[in-house]
């Protein structure tokens, strides 16, 4: 029997990984690569969007939908810290966990593209139900607990040839590498989505 695969992509986390790697992902290639492990039954993509979604952001979401993703979005909410700095935040953990657990009867293997340790317990629950869980991220952005909870870990850097979007330069590279050394903040998005931001 062909193994049923479900893909869950934490868009902000994957975008942060791309910035660290210095190259970006082709989301159609990600579908093909991980779907090739069996028969792809579900593919979810989770991303934050500004309160006012412009045409570029809509085109990005539409493109993901046409590729075959079910796109889950939450609006970015602004907050100001004690230093007066403004941050825009949207946490989609609940949406990811809900889809992981409520669609479990439709897959044999879940491929989770994130390094966030908050998913350790849901991964353990899926494995207790007999599901196989693959976590894919980059080592410096993956919590030990999540990596330990999964059946298999994939370093996204090791599959560059299979999933890279060739010729694409990240916004940070276009500004001369600015921001490459920044600490990862997976659920904080400090730039608006554009049609070239493959989050």
């Amino acid at each position: 029997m062909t193994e049923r695969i479900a893909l869950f992509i934490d868009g902000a986390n994957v975008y942060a990984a791309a910035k660290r790697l210095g190259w970006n992902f082709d989301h159609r290639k990600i579908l093909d690569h991980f779907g090739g492990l069996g028969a792809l039954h579900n593919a979810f993509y989770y991303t934050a969007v500004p309160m006012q979604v412009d045409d570029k952001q809509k085109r990005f979401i539409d493109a993901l939908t046409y590729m075959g993703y079910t796109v889950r979005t939450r609006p970015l909410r602004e907050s100001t810290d004690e230093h007066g700095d403004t941050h825009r935040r949207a946490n989609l953990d609940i949406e990811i966990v809900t889809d992981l657990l409520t669609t479990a009867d439709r897959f044999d293997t879940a491929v989770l593209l994130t390094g966030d340790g908050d998913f350790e317990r849901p991964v353990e629950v899926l494995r207790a139900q007999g599901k196989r869980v693959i976590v894919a991220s980059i080592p410096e952005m993956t919590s030990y607990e999540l990596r330990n909870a999964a059946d298999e870990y994939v370093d996204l850097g090791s599959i560059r040839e299979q999933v890279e979007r060739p010729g694409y330069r990240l916004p940070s590279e276009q500004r001369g590498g600015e921001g490459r050394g920044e600490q990862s903040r997976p659920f904080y998005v400090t730039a608006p989505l554009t049609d070239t931001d493959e989050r």
Side-chain angles (χ1 to χ4, degrees):
M1 178 179 277
T2 304
E3 190 171 6
R4 299 172 301 166
I5 308 296
L7 185 60
F8 303 85
I9 299 180
D10 176 350
N13 203 277
V14 169
Y15 183 74
K19 287 182 72 174
R20 287 207 177 194
L21 290 167
W23 51 269
N24 209 359
F25 298 97
D26 182 322
H27 292 296
R28 190 181 304 279
K29 289 182 179 180
I30 287 177
L31 277 179
D32 293 341
H33 179 77
F34 289 106
L37 299 174
L40 188 65
H41 275 241
N42 278 323
F44 294 93
Y45 191 97
Y46 306 85
T47 188
V49 294
M51 296 295 282
Q52 298 296 323
V53 179
D54 65 23
D55 287 343
K56 289 181 179 180
Q57 289 132 9
K58 186 176 185 306
R59 284 199 301 271
F60 172 68
I61 293 169
D62 286 347
L64 289 171
T65 303
Y66 290 134
M67 287 179 202
Y69 288 98
T70 296
V71 181
R72 306 277 197 227
T73 64
R74 284 197 73 176
L76 287 164
R77 301 194 182 279
E78 288 193 358
S79 62
T80 305
D81 63 22
E82 64 273 15
H83 305 294
D85 295 325
T86 300
H87 304 283
R88 293 186 298 163
R89 176 176 183 167
N91 189 327
L92 284 100
D93 283 9
I94 295 299
E95 285 79 0
I96 296 173
V97 170
T98 299
D99 286 333
L100 276 168
L101 300 180
T102 60
T103 65
D105 60 340
R106 300 178 192 167
F107 61 79
D108 304 304
T109 296
V111 180
L112 182 58
L113 270 68
T114 189
D116 191 337
D118 290 343
F119 297 109
E120 175 193 8
R121 186 63 185 137
V123 166
E124 289 174 343
V125 169
L126 287 173
R127 291 187 66 192
Q129 295 175 359
K131 306 300 180 181
R132 182 168 172 250
V133 181
I134 299 170
V135 167
S137 187
I138 58 175
E140 59 267 37
M141 285 183 55
T142 307
S143 78
Y144 169 80
E145 293 79 11
L146 180 62
R147 188 167 181 165
N148 185 56
D151 290 284
E152 183 181 343
Y153 178 75
V154 175
D155 179 351
L156 291 173
S158 71
I159 57 170
R160 178 175 182 171
E161 289 185 6
Q162 288 78 43
V163 298
E164 182 180 10
R165 181 179 174 187
Y168 177 77
R169 291 171 60 84
L170 289 164
S172 59
E173 289 180 285
Q174 293 167 0
R175 294 190 303 267
E178 175 188 338
R180 276 194 190 180
E182 291 176 359
Q183 190 73 13
S184 166
R185 294 162 66 177
F187 295 110
Y188 285 78
V189 182
T190 56
L193 292 173
T194 70
D195 56 346
T196 57
D197 277 354
E198 292 288 333
R199 298 184 190 199

